[in-house]
Amino acid sequence: DTEVTQTPKHLVMGMTNKKSLKCEQHMGHRAMYWYKQKAKKPPELMFVYSYEKLSINESVPSRFSPECPNSSLLNLHLHALQPEDSALYLCASSSGGRLSNQPQHFGDGTRLSIL
Amino acid sequence: AQSVTQLGSHVSVSEGALVLLRCNYSSSVPPYLFWYVQYPNQGLQLLLKYTTGATLVKGINGFEAEFKKSETSFHLTKPSAHMSDAAEYFCAVSAGSARQLTFGSGTQLTVLP
């Protein structure tokens, strides 16, 4: 069992739909991340939230909109996605702080398919 | 800037044989190094981490890795492979005040009966 919970596990949506991915952690971590992973590739960083503020946006298209309602929750709002956005979307968290020696803990991901 | 190179995108070993997955890093400041494993249809699970101190790091599932600064390497080993070790393995580095992980391209481990 992972300590980072992502819902839904699978999502199929059309290019005109609006949907949201959800991520929750109860480890008291103050940094949360969204990654995109294509098959047979390493995860690619999309967004980083630190103490509930967006600290890094890796030039992600605006059709992806992150939100951090509180320190335990992270959402990724999706709108007007393209077929190439089909991928595994991973959420991760870490204890944050100034040093980067704390490992990130990953959820099992949401597998997204765009029709 | 930091980077990671994993040598060998695919490694096959026989059950019971030594597992060696290679990782070399580049960093302008002292690095923090991690190995993650990803089983099919799952997220990444932390195997072990090097931050400071002892250079031989023990992880879960019988894996260990040795940090060699002179060789800028952090290779992952396991004395005896098990069928359940078949998975994708990622080496990752972070350094300085950045919280970003830089991943290697991954190594797919196959364990043959």
Side-chain angles (χ1 to χ4, degrees), chain A residues 12-28:
Chain A
V12 180
M13 57 187 287
M15 289 189 285
T16 59
N17 291 157
K18 285 185 181 181
K19 296 285 185 184
S20 296
L21 308 185
K22 296 185 184 299
C23 174
E24 189 168 5
Q25 58 89 13
H26 293 289
M27 294 179 282

Side-chain angles (χ1 to χ4, degrees), chain A residues 9 13 15 17 24-26 33 37 46 59-60 74 78-79 85 98 106 114:
Chain A
K9 291 190 184 305
M13 57 187 287
M15 289 189 285
N17 291 157
E24 189 168 5
Q25 58 89 13
H26 293 289
Y33 312 77
Q37 186 181 27
M46 300 174 72
S59 303
V60 179
L74 187 65
L78 314 173
H79 174 53
D85 297 323
R98 292 189 60 198
F106 287 81
I114 306 301

Side-chain angles (χ1 to χ4, degrees), chain A residues 13 16 20 26 31 48-49 53-54 69 74 77 84-85 91 93 98-99 103 106-107 112:
Chain A
M13 57 187 287
T16 59
S20 296
H26 293 289
V48 180
Y49 273 83
K53 288 185 169 45
L54 183 64
L74 187 65
H77 303 298
E84 61 265 27
D85 297 323
C91 174
S93 69
R98 292 189 60 198
L99 298 180
F106 287 81
L112 178 64

Side-chain angles (χ1 to χ4, degrees), chain A residues 2-3 8 19 40 42 48-49 57 66 68 73 80 87 89 97 99-100:
Chain A
T2 58
E3 296 167 316
K19 296 285 185 184
K40 304 299 182 185
V48 180
Y49 273 83
N57 176 342
C68 189
L73 292 174
Y89 288 84
L99 298 180
S100 56

Side-chain angles (χ1 to χ4, degrees), chain B residues 57-100:
Chain B
V57 180
K58 293 189 184 300
I60 62 170
N61 301 340
F63 284 94
E64 62 182 36
E66 186 172 8
F67 172 67
K68 291 187 176 181
K69 184 178 178 181
S70 60
E71 299 177 9
T72 62
S73 69
F74 191 56
H75 301 331
L76 182 70
T77 60
K78 182 174 180 178
S80 176
H82 192 273
M83 298 297 288
S84 61
D85 294 326
E88 186 85 19
Y89 291 79
F90 292 101
C91 181
V93 61
S94 68
S97 60
R99 292 184 202 84
Q100 296 186 58

Side-chain angles (χ1 to χ4, degrees), chain A:
Chain A
D1 289 342
T2 58
E3 296 167 316
V4 177
T5 304
Q6 291 187 243
T7 56
K9 291 190 184 305
H10 302 273
L11 179 62
V12 180
M13 57 187 287
M15 289 189 285
T16 59
N17 291 157
K18 285 185 181 181
K19 296 285 185 184
S20 296
L21 308 185
K22 296 185 184 299
C23 174
E24 189 168 5
Q25 58 89 13
H26 293 289
M27 294 179 282
H29 289 172
R30 303 313 300 269
M32 297 186 76
Y33 312 77
W34 280 115
Y35 288 87
K36 174 183 178 181
Q37 186 181 27
K38 300 287 261 185
K40 304 299 182 185
K41 297 291 186 183
E44 299 172 20
L45 184 65
M46 300 174 72
F47 303 104
V48 180
Y49 273 83
S50 177
Y51 293 89
E52 297 151 55
K53 288 185 169 45
L54 183 64
S55 61
I56 295 174
N57 176 342
E58 290 287 356
S59 303
V60 179
S62 60
R63 57 185 184 268
F64 295 91
S65 175
E67 178 196 19
C68 189
N70 59 56
S71 60
S72 300
L73 292 174
L74 187 65
N75 297 322
L76 185 63
H77 303 298
L78 314 173
H79 174 53
L81 294 195
Q82 302 299 307
E84 61 265 27
D85 297 323
S86 297
L88 181 68
Y89 288 84
L90 293 166
C91 174
S93 69
S94 68
S95 60
R98 292 189 60 198
L99 298 180
S100 56
N101 62 347
Q102 298 307 311
Q104 293 181 23
H105 298 257
F106 287 81
D108 280 339
T110 293
R111 189 160 299 282
L112 178 64
S113 298
I114 306 301
L115 300 179

Side-chain angles (χ1 to χ4, degrees), chain B residues 91-111:
Chain B
C91 181
V93 61
S94 68
S97 60
R99 292 184 202 84
Q100 296 186 58
L101 277 178
T102 300
F103 286 94
S105 55
T107 297
Q108 178 70 46
L109 176 66
T110 300
V111 181

